[in-house]
Amino acid sequence: MCSSKHDRQSCTVVARLTLWYAVICALFCGAMLTVVSMKMSRNAAKRIDHYLTAELCEFASIYTEKGIEALQEEFGRETESEGANKLFCRLVIPGGAPIATSKTSEWDHLEEELQNAPLPDSNKPVFCTLYPEHSPLNSRMASVKTPDNMILQLGINLHAENHYNRKIQKILIISSLLMLALSTFSGWLIARRAMAGIHQVTQAVSKIHRDSLDQQVSFANKGREIDELVAAFNSMLLRIKSLVRELKEVSDNVAHDLRSPITRMRGIAETTLTAPCELSDYQEMGLTIIEECDRLTEMINTTLEIAQAESGLLDIDHTPLDLVPLLHNAIDLFLPVAEEKQIVLNANVPNDPLVIFGDKGRLQRVTANLIDNAIKYTPVGGRISVNASKHKEGINIEISDSGPGIPREELDRIFERFYRGEKSRSSSGNGLGLSLARTVVQAHGGTVTAQNNPDGGCTFSIHLPIGTA
Ligand code: ADP
């Protein structure tokens, strides 16, 4: 039944659920059986006591009104109609012998219990159950005091009652066992059905391999929980797919970005070695190789920094920092480059301090990257503006340019590691600037977004919360 490993596991869950179901049903049946039995015997006792009281009342009134002979006759009639082994009636002197009695030969085994039976001290009946020592036949007895201080006793054999009770109990036990078996079976069916959805999902999932990450698990229609499991799995699959794609692109880009400078360095070294050279040629080769090495080192460091920031390992300073001088310094730094391209670089930064708790060095790099990009991608004669403002929730910095803007399909991807826009591949850069900006801003608890301006160009918006030390 449970051949494969998976089958064995789901069997265990089904078996566990069934067992739980059976245990709960057994407890429920047991409790129900106990309550019903108790209720039945209490009702039977009430009914018998009621009968005994009514009969005793009748005997007492016959004795009071008609005397002892009439009572004796009534005893005879009563035992004849009910059976001498079923009923016994006596009129006794307290602590003495009976002065009137029905046929009692059937009740000899109760002689000792009758002697010890509790005596009434009023005309209210006193009840007791007599358990003979050597017989399983117990009896119920009621006694009352007559006005002349005699004691009237009426006993009834509980044999028929016990027999009836046992029969009912037997029926109850059998039906409870049947109910238990039936509910255990239905519990097993339900558990199996519940597990069927999971089984179906697991089978669908196990068919998805590394090469078929495009596939999605189809909804099994086995209930909301299973559908939620499928949805969660599908979204995880999408995340894995995008991570695998990103990983592939990153490795492709790293390979490309490493290969080009290494090939360049090798080419220069080869040319210098194969052709007769002056000292100045060697010096130039050394300079180019140092520049390429610096570029590579910077790229590797930035990649590491992004990876550290993404995994939460980057040590970010959270010291009070006024963003106003930081932005003015960045603008002053890039002003000559902008002027060289005849780009107007505007600053709309308030005079009041814009203080947050943050890492000065890293935020300087973020603003520098964004202004540098704006200058790089804005054509000659364009405009760039750097705006900063304070809001209730934090500080907003916007860097707007009149450049070509960003194609819609690239807007979502420009913050990915090593991603470079289609048209930007010819210009210098390694596709790490925006990725670093995003991770640094996120490490400060902020966000950075990009959008195209309605009148051309694009705007990068940074939102930084005030933060804490
Ligand atoms: P890089 O500039 O080195 O290519 P970035 O990570 O800084 O890498 O930018 C990623 C891409 O985003 C760029 O290749 C470019 O396509 C696009 N981009 C960034 N800033 C701008 C901008 N101001 N205008 C147009 N495109 C931009």
PDB file of all heavy atoms in Angstrom, residues 314-349:
ATOM      1  N   LEU A 314      26.908  44.785   5.892  1.00  0.00           N
ATOM      2  CA  LEU A 314      27.639  46.038   5.688  1.00  0.00           C
ATOM      3  C   LEU A 314      27.536  46.912   6.938  1.00  0.00           C
ATOM      4  O   LEU A 314      26.455  47.090   7.490  1.00  0.00           O
ATOM      5  CB  LEU A 314      27.042  46.779   4.473  1.00  0.00           C
ATOM      6  CG  LEU A 314      27.923  47.876   3.913  1.00  0.00           C
ATOM      7  CD1 LEU A 314      29.193  47.274   3.317  1.00  0.00           C
ATOM      8  CD2 LEU A 314      27.175  48.667   2.856  1.00  0.00           C
ATOM      9  N   ASP A 315      28.723  47.419   7.347  1.00  0.00           N
ATOM     10  CA  ASP A 315      28.751  48.243   8.553  1.00  0.00           C
ATOM     11  C   ASP A 315      28.368  49.674   8.192  1.00  0.00           C
ATOM     12  O   ASP A 315      29.159  50.413   7.627  1.00  0.00           O
ATOM     13  CB  ASP A 315      30.192  48.198   9.109  1.00  0.00           C
ATOM     14  CG  ASP A 315      30.184  48.326  10.597  1.00  0.00           C
ATOM     15  OD1 ASP A 315      29.080  48.352  11.165  1.00  0.00           O
ATOM     16  OD2 ASP A 315      31.282  48.418  11.182  1.00  0.00           O
ATOM     17  N   ILE A 316      27.133  50.051   8.469  1.00  0.00           N
ATOM     18  CA  ILE A 316      26.658  51.403   8.104  1.00  0.00           C
ATOM     19  C   ILE A 316      26.708  52.292   9.350  1.00  0.00           C
ATOM     20  O   ILE A 316      26.223  51.904  10.409  1.00  0.00           O
ATOM     21  CB  ILE A 316      25.203  51.323   7.566  1.00  0.00           C
ATOM     22  CG1 ILE A 316      25.131  50.509   6.283  1.00  0.00           C
ATOM     23  CG2 ILE A 316      24.575  52.699   7.426  1.00  0.00           C
ATOM     24  CD1 ILE A 316      25.297  51.282   5.023  1.00  0.00           C
ATOM     25  N   ASP A 317      27.312  53.486   9.168  1.00  0.00           N
ATOM     26  CA  ASP A 317      27.353  54.462  10.269  1.00  0.00           C
ATOM     27  C   ASP A 317      25.980  55.097  10.444  1.00  0.00           C
ATOM     28  O   ASP A 317      25.320  55.387   9.452  1.00  0.00           O
ATOM     29  CB  ASP A 317      28.311  55.596   9.870  1.00  0.00           C
ATOM     30  CG  ASP A 317      29.632  55.463  10.565  1.00  0.00           C
ATOM     31  OD1 ASP A 317      29.762  54.514  11.350  1.00  0.00           O
ATOM     32  OD2 ASP A 317      30.510  56.312  10.291  1.00  0.00           O
ATOM     33  N   HIS A 318      25.554  55.310  11.670  1.00  0.00           N
ATOM     34  CA  HIS A 318      24.291  56.040  11.851  1.00  0.00           C
ATOM     35  C   HIS A 318      24.564  57.238  12.751  1.00  0.00           C
ATOM     36  O   HIS A 318      24.133  57.292  13.887  1.00  0.00           O
ATOM     37  CB  HIS A 318      23.216  55.117  12.451  1.00  0.00           C
ATOM     38  CG  HIS A 318      22.704  54.134  11.463  1.00  0.00           C
ATOM     39  ND1 HIS A 318      21.779  54.449  10.506  1.00  0.00           N
ATOM     40  CD2 HIS A 318      23.018  52.840  11.245  1.00  0.00           C
ATOM     41  CE1 HIS A 318      21.533  53.393   9.757  1.00  0.00           C
ATOM     42  NE2 HIS A 318      22.284  52.394  10.187  1.00  0.00           N
ATOM     43  N   THR A 319      25.328  58.193  12.176  1.00  0.00           N
ATOM     44  CA  THR A 319      25.660  59.395  12.955  1.00  0.00           C
ATOM     45  C   THR A 319      24.864  60.578  12.384  1.00  0.00           C
ATOM     46  O   THR A 319      24.488  60.562  11.202  1.00  0.00           O
ATOM     47  CB  THR A 319      27.174  59.700  12.868  1.00  0.00           C
ATOM     48  OG1 THR A 319      27.562  59.547  11.511  1.00  0.00           O
ATOM     49  CG2 THR A 319      27.983  58.764  13.723  1.00  0.00           C
ATOM     50  N   PRO A 320      24.600  61.628  13.188  1.00  0.00           N
ATOM     51  CA  PRO A 320      23.850  62.773  12.664  1.00  0.00           C
ATOM     52  C   PRO A 320      24.570  63.371  11.459  1.00  0.00           C
ATOM     53  O   PRO A 320      25.784  63.595  11.495  1.00  0.00           O
ATOM     54  CB  PRO A 320      23.823  63.759  13.844  1.00  0.00           C
ATOM     55  CG  PRO A 320      24.119  62.933  15.043  1.00  0.00           C
ATOM     56  CD  PRO A 320      24.964  61.798  14.590  1.00  0.00           C
ATOM     57  N   LEU A 321      23.813  63.569  10.380  1.00  0.00           N
ATOM     58  CA  LEU A 321      24.434  64.010   9.136  1.00  0.00           C
ATOM     59  C   LEU A 321      23.537  65.047   8.463  1.00  0.00           C
ATOM     60  O   LEU A 321      22.364  64.778   8.186  1.00  0.00           O
ATOM     61  CB  LEU A 321      24.619  62.767   8.232  1.00  0.00           C
ATOM     62  CG  LEU A 321      24.982  62.999   6.788  1.00  0.00           C
ATOM     63  CD1 LEU A 321      26.385  63.585   6.674  1.00  0.00           C
ATOM     64  CD2 LEU A 321      24.923  61.680   6.019  1.00  0.00           C
ATOM     65  N   ASP A 322      24.109  66.250   8.195  1.00  0.00           N
ATOM     66  CA  ASP A 322      23.348  67.292   7.492  1.00  0.00           C
ATOM     67  C   ASP A 322      23.547  67.082   5.986  1.00  0.00           C
ATOM     68  O   ASP A 322      24.674  67.120   5.480  1.00  0.00           O
ATOM     69  CB  ASP A 322      23.856  68.674   7.937  1.00  0.00           C
ATOM     70  CG  ASP A 322      23.011  69.786   7.342  1.00  0.00           C
ATOM     71  OD1 ASP A 322      22.051  69.463   6.604  1.00  0.00           O
ATOM     72  OD2 ASP A 322      23.302  70.964   7.633  1.00  0.00           O
ATOM     73  N   LEU A 323      22.433  66.846   5.272  1.00  0.00           N
ATOM     74  CA  LEU A 323      22.536  66.538   3.843  1.00  0.00           C
ATOM     75  C   LEU A 323      22.762  67.788   2.985  1.00  0.00           C
ATOM     76  O   LEU A 323      23.163  67.673   1.827  1.00  0.00           O
ATOM     77  CB  LEU A 323      21.267  65.819   3.376  1.00  0.00           C
ATOM     78  CG  LEU A 323      21.078  64.403   3.958  1.00  0.00           C
ATOM     79  CD1 LEU A 323      19.721  63.858   3.568  1.00  0.00           C
ATOM     80  CD2 LEU A 323      22.169  63.463   3.468  1.00  0.00           C
ATOM     81  N   VAL A 324      22.531  68.993   3.566  1.00  0.00           N
ATOM     82  CA  VAL A 324      22.668  70.225   2.768  1.00  0.00           C
ATOM     83  C   VAL A 324      24.120  70.408   2.295  1.00  0.00           C
ATOM     84  O   VAL A 324      24.370  70.502   1.083  1.00  0.00           O
ATOM     85  CB  VAL A 324      22.139  71.455   3.547  1.00  0.00           C
ATOM     86  CG1 VAL A 324      22.419  72.747   2.793  1.00  0.00           C
ATOM     87  CG2 VAL A 324      20.650  71.292   3.804  1.00  0.00           C
ATOM     88  N   PRO A 325      25.126  70.424   3.230  1.00  0.00           N
ATOM     89  CA  PRO A 325      26.508  70.561   2.730  1.00  0.00           C
ATOM     90  C   PRO A 325      26.938  69.392   1.853  1.00  0.00           C
ATOM     91  O   PRO A 325      27.680  69.576   0.882  1.00  0.00           O
ATOM     92  CB  PRO A 325      27.353  70.614   4.018  1.00  0.00           C
ATOM     93  CG  PRO A 325      26.468  70.211   5.130  1.00  0.00           C
ATOM     94  CD  PRO A 325      25.059  70.431   4.700  1.00  0.00           C
ATOM     95  N   LEU A 326      26.401  68.185   2.169  1.00  0.00           N
ATOM     96  CA  LEU A 326      26.786  67.010   1.369  1.00  0.00           C
ATOM     97  C   LEU A 326      26.359  67.206  -0.093  1.00  0.00           C
ATOM     98  O   LEU A 326      27.118  66.951  -1.028  1.00  0.00           O
ATOM     99  CB  LEU A 326      26.100  65.779   1.973  1.00  0.00           C
ATOM    100  CG  LEU A 326      26.426  64.415   1.383  1.00  0.00           C
ATOM    101  CD1 LEU A 326      26.510  63.363   2.471  1.00  0.00           C
ATOM    102  CD2 LEU A 326      25.394  63.982   0.356  1.00  0.00           C
ATOM    103  N   LEU A 327      25.118  67.740  -0.295  1.00  0.00           N
ATOM    104  CA  LEU A 327      24.631  67.936  -1.662  1.00  0.00           C
ATOM    105  C   LEU A 327      25.384  69.069  -2.349  1.00  0.00           C
ATOM    106  O   LEU A 327      25.750  68.955  -3.527  1.00  0.00           O
ATOM    107  CB  LEU A 327      23.118  68.231  -1.638  1.00  0.00           C
ATOM    108  CG  LEU A 327      22.247  67.020  -1.283  1.00  0.00           C
ATOM    109  CD1 LEU A 327      20.800  67.438  -1.065  1.00  0.00           C
ATOM    110  CD2 LEU A 327      22.323  65.960  -2.370  1.00  0.00           C
ATOM    111  N   HIS A 328      25.657  70.174  -1.589  1.00  0.00           N
ATOM    112  CA  HIS A 328      26.401  71.299  -2.185  1.00  0.00           C
ATOM    113  C   HIS A 328      27.786  70.846  -2.620  1.00  0.00           C
ATOM    114  O   HIS A 328      28.243  71.196  -3.722  1.00  0.00           O
ATOM    115  CB  HIS A 328      26.510  72.452  -1.177  1.00  0.00           C
ATOM    116  CG  HIS A 328      25.246  73.275  -1.124  1.00  0.00           C
ATOM    117  ND1 HIS A 328      24.687  73.827  -2.245  1.00  0.00           N
ATOM    118  CD2 HIS A 328      24.428  73.625  -0.084  1.00  0.00           C
ATOM    119  CE1 HIS A 328      23.577  74.478  -1.914  1.00  0.00           C
ATOM    120  NE2 HIS A 328      23.397  74.362  -0.592  1.00  0.00           N
ATOM    121  N   ASN A 329      28.445  70.030  -1.787  1.00  0.00           N
ATOM    122  CA  ASN A 329      29.791  69.534  -2.138  1.00  0.00           C
ATOM    123  C   ASN A 329      29.742  68.705  -3.416  1.00  0.00           C
ATOM    124  O   ASN A 329      30.599  68.830  -4.299  1.00  0.00           O
ATOM    125  CB  ASN A 329      30.362  68.672  -1.008  1.00  0.00           C
ATOM    126  CG  ASN A 329      30.803  69.518   0.169  1.00  0.00           C
ATOM    127  OD1 ASN A 329      30.952  70.738   0.018  1.00  0.00           O
ATOM    128  ND2 ASN A 329      30.967  68.904   1.331  1.00  0.00           N
ATOM    129  N   ALA A 330      28.707  67.825  -3.508  1.00  0.00           N
ATOM    130  CA  ALA A 330      28.590  66.957  -4.687  1.00  0.00           C
ATOM    131  C   ALA A 330      28.386  67.810  -5.937  1.00  0.00           C
ATOM    132  O   ALA A 330      29.019  67.567  -6.985  1.00  0.00           O
ATOM    133  CB  ALA A 330      27.424  65.989  -4.500  1.00  0.00           C
ATOM    134  N   ILE A 331      27.527  68.852  -5.822  1.00  0.00           N
ATOM    135  CA  ILE A 331      27.264  69.716  -6.994  1.00  0.00           C
ATOM    136  C   ILE A 331      28.543  70.461  -7.390  1.00  0.00           C
ATOM    137  O   ILE A 331      28.911  70.520  -8.573  1.00  0.00           O
ATOM    138  CB  ILE A 331      26.095  70.685  -6.677  1.00  0.00           C
ATOM    139  CG1 ILE A 331      24.796  69.867  -6.577  1.00  0.00           C
ATOM    140  CG2 ILE A 331      25.957  71.758  -7.751  1.00  0.00           C
ATOM    141  CD1 ILE A 331      23.674  70.572  -5.863  1.00  0.00           C
ATOM    142  N   ASP A 332      29.259  70.989  -6.372  1.00  0.00           N
ATOM    143  CA  ASP A 332      30.516  71.707  -6.661  1.00  0.00           C
ATOM    144  C   ASP A 332      31.514  70.806  -7.381  1.00  0.00           C
ATOM    145  O   ASP A 332      32.216  71.217  -8.302  1.00  0.00           O
ATOM    146  CB  ASP A 332      31.153  72.217  -5.359  1.00  0.00           C
ATOM    147  CG  ASP A 332      30.310  73.341  -4.746  1.00  0.00           C
ATOM    148  OD1 ASP A 332      29.426  73.853  -5.470  1.00  0.00           O
ATOM    149  OD2 ASP A 332      30.504  73.655  -3.549  1.00  0.00           O
ATOM    150  N   LEU A 333      31.527  69.531  -6.957  1.00  0.00           N
ATOM    151  CA  LEU A 333      32.473  68.570  -7.526  1.00  0.00           C
ATOM    152  C   LEU A 333      32.184  68.322  -9.011  1.00  0.00           C
ATOM    153  O   LEU A 333      33.095  68.213  -9.827  1.00  0.00           O
ATOM    154  CB  LEU A 333      32.364  67.251  -6.735  1.00  0.00           C
ATOM    155  CG  LEU A 333      33.406  66.196  -7.020  1.00  0.00           C
ATOM    156  CD1 LEU A 333      34.736  66.609  -6.404  1.00  0.00           C
ATOM    157  CD2 LEU A 333      32.976  64.853  -6.447  1.00  0.00           C
ATOM    158  N   PHE A 334      30.868  68.245  -9.339  1.00  0.00           N
ATOM    159  CA  PHE A 334      30.507  67.887 -10.722  1.00  0.00           C
ATOM    160  C   PHE A 334      30.295  69.105 -11.632  1.00  0.00           C
ATOM    161  O   PHE A 334      30.122  68.928 -12.829  1.00  0.00           O
ATOM    162  CB  PHE A 334      29.250  67.002 -10.735  1.00  0.00           C
ATOM    163  CG  PHE A 334      29.563  65.575 -10.350  1.00  0.00           C
ATOM    164  CD1 PHE A 334      29.359  65.126  -9.069  1.00  0.00           C
ATOM    165  CD2 PHE A 334      30.092  64.700 -11.293  1.00  0.00           C
ATOM    166  CE1 PHE A 334      29.658  63.825  -8.712  1.00  0.00           C
ATOM    167  CE2 PHE A 334      30.405  63.403 -10.948  1.00  0.00           C
ATOM    168  CZ  PHE A 334      30.188  62.960  -9.653  1.00  0.00           C
ATOM    169  N   LEU A 335      30.323  70.307 -11.038  1.00  0.00           N
ATOM    170  CA  LEU A 335      30.057  71.523 -11.823  1.00  0.00           C
ATOM    171  C   LEU A 335      31.016  71.658 -13.018  1.00  0.00           C
ATOM    172  O   LEU A 335      30.566  71.892 -14.156  1.00  0.00           O
ATOM    173  CB  LEU A 335      30.134  72.746 -10.901  1.00  0.00           C
ATOM    174  CG  LEU A 335      29.209  73.907 -11.251  1.00  0.00           C
ATOM    175  CD1 LEU A 335      27.774  73.455 -11.418  1.00  0.00           C
ATOM    176  CD2 LEU A 335      29.295  74.976 -10.168  1.00  0.00           C
ATOM    177  N   PRO A 336      32.345  71.449 -12.813  1.00  0.00           N
ATOM    178  CA  PRO A 336      33.260  71.589 -13.967  1.00  0.00           C
ATOM    179  C   PRO A 336      32.944  70.605 -15.094  1.00  0.00           C
ATOM    180  O   PRO A 336      32.965  70.970 -16.273  1.00  0.00           O
ATOM    181  CB  PRO A 336      34.636  71.290 -13.355  1.00  0.00           C
ATOM    182  CG  PRO A 336      34.476  71.425 -11.883  1.00  0.00           C
ATOM    183  CD  PRO A 336      33.043  71.181 -11.564  1.00  0.00           C
ATOM    184  N   VAL A 337      32.614  69.349 -14.717  1.00  0.00           N
ATOM    185  CA  VAL A 337      32.319  68.334 -15.755  1.00  0.00           C
ATOM    186  C   VAL A 337      31.061  68.758 -16.518  1.00  0.00           C
ATOM    187  O   VAL A 337      30.977  68.621 -17.749  1.00  0.00           O
ATOM    188  CB  VAL A 337      32.082  66.938 -15.113  1.00  0.00           C
ATOM    189  CG1 VAL A 337      32.134  65.837 -16.163  1.00  0.00           C
ATOM    190  CG2 VAL A 337      33.045  66.665 -13.998  1.00  0.00           C
ATOM    191  N   ALA A 338      30.027  69.253 -15.734  1.00  0.00           N
ATOM    192  CA  ALA A 338      28.780  69.666 -16.371  1.00  0.00           C
ATOM    193  C   ALA A 338      29.031  70.837 -17.306  1.00  0.00           C
ATOM    194  O   ALA A 338      28.538  70.851 -18.456  1.00  0.00           O
ATOM    195  CB  ALA A 338      27.762  70.045 -15.298  1.00  0.00           C
ATOM    196  N   GLU A 339      29.851  71.801 -16.849  1.00  0.00           N
ATOM    197  CA  GLU A 339      30.133  72.984 -17.681  1.00  0.00           C
ATOM    198  C   GLU A 339      30.840  72.587 -18.969  1.00  0.00           C
ATOM    199  O   GLU A 339      30.562  73.113 -20.039  1.00  0.00           O
ATOM    200  CB  GLU A 339      30.995  73.976 -16.885  1.00  0.00           C
ATOM    201  CG  GLU A 339      30.128  74.913 -16.057  1.00  0.00           C
ATOM    202  CD  GLU A 339      30.937  75.711 -15.033  1.00  0.00           C
ATOM    203  OE1 GLU A 339      32.186  75.608 -15.042  1.00  0.00           O
ATOM    204  OE2 GLU A 339      30.313  76.414 -14.216  1.00  0.00           O
ATOM    205  N   GLU A 340      31.720  71.578 -18.829  1.00  0.00           N
ATOM    206  CA  GLU A 340      32.441  71.086 -20.010  1.00  0.00           C
ATOM    207  C   GLU A 340      31.471  70.605 -21.085  1.00  0.00           C
ATOM    208  O   GLU A 340      31.711  70.767 -22.280  1.00  0.00           O
ATOM    209  CB  GLU A 340      33.336  69.938 -19.565  1.00  0.00           C
ATOM    210  CG  GLU A 340      34.624  69.838 -20.335  1.00  0.00           C
ATOM    211  CD  GLU A 340      35.519  68.788 -19.704  1.00  0.00           C
ATOM    212  OE1 GLU A 340      36.145  69.095 -18.655  1.00  0.00           O
ATOM    213  OE2 GLU A 340      35.531  67.661 -20.217  1.00  0.00           O
ATOM    214  N   LYS A 341      30.340  70.038 -20.643  1.00  0.00           N
ATOM    215  CA  LYS A 341      29.323  69.540 -21.591  1.00  0.00           C
ATOM    216  C   LYS A 341      28.229  70.579 -21.827  1.00  0.00           C
ATOM    217  O   LYS A 341      27.177  70.248 -22.379  1.00  0.00           O
ATOM    218  CB  LYS A 341      28.684  68.259 -21.031  1.00  0.00           C
ATOM    219  CG  LYS A 341      29.309  66.982 -21.558  1.00  0.00           C
ATOM    220  CD  LYS A 341      28.610  65.752 -21.017  1.00  0.00           C
ATOM    221  CE  LYS A 341      27.643  65.172 -22.022  1.00  0.00           C
ATOM    222  NZ  LYS A 341      27.004  63.939 -21.529  1.00  0.00           N
ATOM    223  N   GLN A 342      28.467  71.767 -21.341  1.00  0.00           N
ATOM    224  CA  GLN A 342      27.487  72.867 -21.426  1.00  0.00           C
ATOM    225  C   GLN A 342      26.124  72.464 -20.861  1.00  0.00           C
ATOM    226  O   GLN A 342      25.074  72.729 -21.438  1.00  0.00           O
ATOM    227  CB  GLN A 342      27.325  73.333 -22.882  1.00  0.00           C
ATOM    228  CG  GLN A 342      28.556  74.012 -23.427  1.00  0.00           C
ATOM    229  CD  GLN A 342      28.695  73.808 -24.906  1.00  0.00           C
ATOM    230  OE1 GLN A 342      27.702  73.837 -25.618  1.00  0.00           O
ATOM    231  NE2 GLN A 342      29.911  73.612 -25.384  1.00  0.00           N
ATOM    232  N   ILE A 343      26.199  71.763 -19.746  1.00  0.00           N
ATOM    233  CA  ILE A 343      24.961  71.352 -19.061  1.00  0.00           C
ATOM    234  C   ILE A 343      24.741  72.295 -17.886  1.00  0.00           C
ATOM    235  O   ILE A 343      25.685  72.606 -17.138  1.00  0.00           O
ATOM    236  CB  ILE A 343      25.064  69.894 -18.563  1.00  0.00           C
ATOM    237  CG1 ILE A 343      25.056  68.927 -19.763  1.00  0.00           C
ATOM    238  CG2 ILE A 343      23.940  69.536 -17.597  1.00  0.00           C
ATOM    239  CD1 ILE A 343      25.350  67.495 -19.417  1.00  0.00           C
ATOM    240  N   VAL A 344      23.489  72.757 -17.725  1.00  0.00           N
ATOM    241  CA  VAL A 344      23.189  73.641 -16.590  1.00  0.00           C
ATOM    242  C   VAL A 344      22.856  72.761 -15.393  1.00  0.00           C
ATOM    243  O   VAL A 344      21.951  71.928 -15.458  1.00  0.00           O
ATOM    244  CB  VAL A 344      21.987  74.566 -16.911  1.00  0.00           C
ATOM    245  CG1 VAL A 344      21.701  75.508 -15.750  1.00  0.00           C
ATOM    246  CG2 VAL A 344      22.253  75.321 -18.190  1.00  0.00           C
ATOM    247  N   LEU A 345      23.639  72.929 -14.327  1.00  0.00           N
ATOM    248  CA  LEU A 345      23.422  72.115 -13.120  1.00  0.00           C
ATOM    249  C   LEU A 345      22.827  73.005 -12.032  1.00  0.00           C
ATOM    250  O   LEU A 345      23.507  73.868 -11.488  1.00  0.00           O
ATOM    251  CB  LEU A 345      24.755  71.498 -12.675  1.00  0.00           C
ATOM    252  CG  LEU A 345      24.763  70.555 -11.492  1.00  0.00           C
ATOM    253  CD1 LEU A 345      23.747  69.438 -11.659  1.00  0.00           C
ATOM    254  CD2 LEU A 345      26.157  69.942 -11.326  1.00  0.00           C
ATOM    255  N   ASN A 346      21.530  72.814 -11.755  1.00  0.00           N
ATOM    256  CA  ASN A 346      20.829  73.653 -10.766  1.00  0.00           C
ATOM    257  C   ASN A 346      20.729  72.953  -9.426  1.00  0.00           C
ATOM    258  O   ASN A 346      20.548  71.736  -9.388  1.00  0.00           O
ATOM    259  CB  ASN A 346      19.384  73.896 -11.226  1.00  0.00           C
ATOM    260  CG  ASN A 346      19.306  75.071 -12.148  1.00  0.00           C
ATOM    261  OD1 ASN A 346      20.082  76.013 -11.986  1.00  0.00           O
ATOM    262  ND2 ASN A 346      18.401  75.008 -13.102  1.00  0.00           N
ATOM    263  N   ALA A 347      20.744  73.737  -8.360  1.00  0.00           N
ATOM    264  CA  ALA A 347      20.540  73.132  -7.033  1.00  0.00           C
ATOM    265  C   ALA A 347      19.386  73.843  -6.333  1.00  0.00           C
ATOM    266  O   ALA A 347      19.399  75.065  -6.206  1.00  0.00           O
ATOM    267  CB  ALA A 347      21.807  73.253  -6.211  1.00  0.00           C
ATOM    268  N   ASN A 348      18.358  73.114  -5.943  1.00  0.00           N
ATOM    269  CA  ASN A 348      17.272  73.681  -5.128  1.00  0.00           C
ATOM    270  C   ASN A 348      17.321  73.018  -3.762  1.00  0.00           C
ATOM    271  O   ASN A 348      16.544  72.107  -3.464  1.00  0.00           O
ATOM    272  CB  ASN A 348      15.900  73.409  -5.770  1.00  0.00           C
ATOM    273  CG  ASN A 348      15.781  74.114  -7.087  1.00  0.00           C
ATOM    274  OD1 ASN A 348      16.137  75.275  -7.183  1.00  0.00           O
ATOM    275  ND2 ASN A 348      15.323  73.402  -8.097  1.00  0.00           N
ATOM    276  N   VAL A 349      18.270  73.459  -2.984  1.00  0.00           N
ATOM    277  CA  VAL A 349      18.477  72.848  -1.665  1.00  0.00           C
ATOM    278  C   VAL A 349      18.164  73.895  -0.607  1.00  0.00           C
ATOM    279  O   VAL A 349      18.645  75.035  -0.720  1.00  0.00           O
ATOM    280  CB  VAL A 349      19.940  72.347  -1.530  1.00  0.00           C
ATOM    281  CG1 VAL A 349      20.195  71.718  -0.170  1.00  0.00           C
ATOM    282  CG2 VAL A 349      20.261  71.353  -2.632  1.00  0.00           C
TER     283      VAL A 349
END
